[in-house]
Amino acid sequence: MKQEALNISNQGEKGLSATKPSKYSEYKRRRKIMLKSQGFITAIILLLAIWSIWGTGFNLLSLFFGTYEILVFIFTDMFPPDLTVIGQLIGPALDTLYMSYVGMVISVVVSLVLGVLAADNLTPHWTIARVSRAVTAFLRSVPAVVWAIILVSGIGLGPLTGTIAIGLSGIGILGKAYAEVLESIDGAQLEGVRATGANWFQVIGQAVWPQFKAGFVSWSLYKLDMNIREAAILGLVGAGGLGYYLQGSINLFQYKEAATAILMIFALILMVEYMTAKIRERII
Amino acid sequence: MMETILEIRQLKKTYPDGTEALKNINLSIKRGEFIVIIGPSGAGKSTFLRSINRLSEPTSGEIIFHGEDIVKANRAKLRKMRRNIGMIFQGFNLVKRLPTVRNVLHGKLGYMSTWKGALGLFNQEEVEEALSILERVGLEDQAFKRADELSGGQQQRVAIARAINQSPSIILADEPIASLDPNSSRVVMDYLQKACQEEGFTTIVNLHQVDFAKEYADRIVGIKNGEIYFDGPVKELSDDVIQSIYAKGKEAMPV
Amino acid sequence: MIKNKETYRQQKKVQNSIFTFLAFAFFIFSMLQLNIVPERIVRSIERLGYIFGNMFPPVTNEPVSLFTAAIESIQVAILGTILGVIISLFLAVLAAKNLTISPYLGYAIKGFAGFVRAVPALIWALLFIVAVGLGPTPGILALAINSIGMLVKVYGEALEEIDMGIVEALESAGASKVQVILQGVFPSVMKAFTAWSLFRLDVNIRYSAILGVVGAGGIGWELMKAAQMSRYDEALMVTIVIFGMVMSAEVLSEYMKKRANAASAQALN
Ligand SMILES: Nc1ncnc2c1ncn2[C@@H]1O[C@H](COP(=O)(O)OP(=O)(O)OP(=O)(O)O)[C@@H](O)[C@H]1O
Ligand SMILES: [Mg+2]
């Protein structure tokens, strides 16, 4: 009905009937292409899902009973948390903090070297840059837990292991970040200082550091934030700190103690995040 | 001969923060009228327009549209009534990442079953209608471009096409040309006027530009401080009246 | 004025020196607290040298089981991501301030997501193992729930940034809530959603590689076995496989992001 009214109101009757079918077929053509590419993506996702369900023996129902079981577990076995163990937890919590911090310092020191070597504008030679980048890429792609597991069997249980593992994986992240910050430094300023006949150290101090400082501080603090989370779970494989305590209490079916340990991890994460945010504000 | 299509009685709107945006609006609108609302910034023009289709909930009052009170309608009823009210916005409000024609098709959503509409399953008739409306607003060549690739004026014409596609009996336009240059403004207003004449839409437009208002309106309503301050045909809108509408303060002046 | 600036700079300098000093002091203090003293460092370096020497050449005695374990990890990551994405889509719409049906529900979902996000994936795996038993299932559920924590947040933020004008326009055309979301909102946030989902797949593959260490399926367990038997050459092999998984996940998700962007850039119907 509306259709008629529209046609009447349009003067170019002939032109209209000539263009309209082709316009509609254009619409259909485009829609088909889009449906095809959407269908292709959906099909891939579906296939991946089916393949994964088949491979892992995952039962979709476990989504429901899993949710149910975890709720039951959390609310009957873990709740209320046993707060009397807080005293025993302060030691491991501090260990976690120390591990994160020392691990950060280790990765900062090593990453500074690797970063300078990897940055295109500061590297002594491009092959060195390549090698340095490969090392950081490798360290970045291997999770800290992997290092921790290997080190636990080599050096033994305890926080030293965790510290080294955190330090190693941190190099992967900070090495890359520092190199990128360094590469974004204004070259003209660098040249200016070089032109005054300054040596390498003077160039770094006068031209590089002022521009590098902000990126350096915020990336390092970000890494400290990350380290707390990592340190907390490294303990699960025996590398000391809160995670170790958590693993122990779960092995002994002391779930209410485990709940307290989790809350403690929580509190530690929040506290460190708050502090790093404050420090970042002050320095930058 | 002219029936009343929209009857607004004692419409009040107080925002949660206590701002009395509309104090007591009474207005009767006849089928086919082209009404332009003018008034200073903050007078309540947008609030008034948005109260009509309840994008902004009225605090009290009645809005009788086709014999039924919009204010009292429940959700389902409101949906049905809204598809009879096209709305055009200052910011065009198109889905920028979708092609133009799809934006026009959105005008049909209110008529479709929820799932068909949600999945965008438009049939041939609906697509062809959308395409022919695009032709009428002069955008037949832009049908498959992404909406954000069009100029502002073109985008507003797409929005007009979307409103036309609702087959509404009334169109509300809230400052449709406020973010366009004078040339595009004229083009957009011309298309709006043309569509309304051809289809017999009743039209209510908020405008800041008094010259445009005078040129396009059959009837002008001046709103000031949430109240109707002037209501009459263009020729009654003297410069004095205009001045006092836009004047600061609340000097008393009879309507 | 100038003098003020000068003293300010001076103050800043002093402040920074204090910070540096404190940072260094805390470092030494932490080392002592952790009992990391020179002799221990020397001894560990010796041990590290021993480990390193025994790592080469990397070998594997059971290439098939290593391969299946790696595949299982990837499958755990895929399922965890898919479940996480689907559930987060619903929750994010309900959590976003501008789309929620009730602000309280929104706060509740955001609070839930915040909590779930703050507990690391490995701890979730540990809890799920207690609740549903060993195997890939607790791993999948742990990744799914940890993904929800993150995705609800980032999806929600993307949703809260949309232009509400679109919602108003479709609502005023008489569209229902579902129509508004699928026709107006999702097309506007598709790109951000895709990028975040792929990013999360990347993260989940990293996590899935280590879930095995607590018994939640996948390649982590192979690493545990090798390390417990002090077979560092085998451990290195597993590490190399993990490295390969993580690297290819990164490359693949980069590629898919480009592809997805290209597909949406075609601006088809
Ligand atoms: N969401 C809101 N909450 C509180 N007060 C509002 C809200 N929207 C508008 N107002 C107030 O209501 C009054 C009327 O606003 P309205 O937007 O309707 O004016 P307007 O005539 O459209 O102005 P303009 O010409 O600037 O668009 C103003 O005082 C405004 O500050
Ligand atoms: Mg307004």
Side-chain angles (χ1 to χ4, degrees), chain A residues 201-250:
Chain A
F201 287 99
Q202 286 167 325
V203 171
I204 296 286
Q206 302 288 314
V208 177
W209 176 245
Q211 294 187 58
F212 176 58
K213 197 175 115 187
F216 168 74
V217 169
S218 61
W219 272 104
S220 309
L221 289 175
Y222 164 77
K223 189 58 200 143
L224 185 59
D225 280 350
M226 294 289 103
N227 281 358
I228 289 285
R229 291 159 201 267
E230 234 152 49
I233 61 168
L234 284 185
L236 298 178
V237 297
L242 278 173
Y244 192 52
Y245 187 94
L246 175 65
Q247 176 75 295
S249 50
I250 286 183

Side-chain angles (χ1 to χ4, degrees), chain C residues 148-159:
Chain C
I148 290 173
M150 179 193 124
L151 291 178
V152 165
K153 175 168 188 271
V154 295
Y155 287 175
E157 281 167 0
L159 290 172

Side-chain angles (χ1 to χ4, degrees), chain B residues 100-101 104 129-140 143 158 161:
Chain B
T100 303
V101 59
V104 179
E129 185 177 345
L131 287 168
S132 80
I133 294 174
L134 268 176
E135 203 163 335
R136 288 176 52 198
V137 295
L139 292 175
E140 59 271 31
V158 176

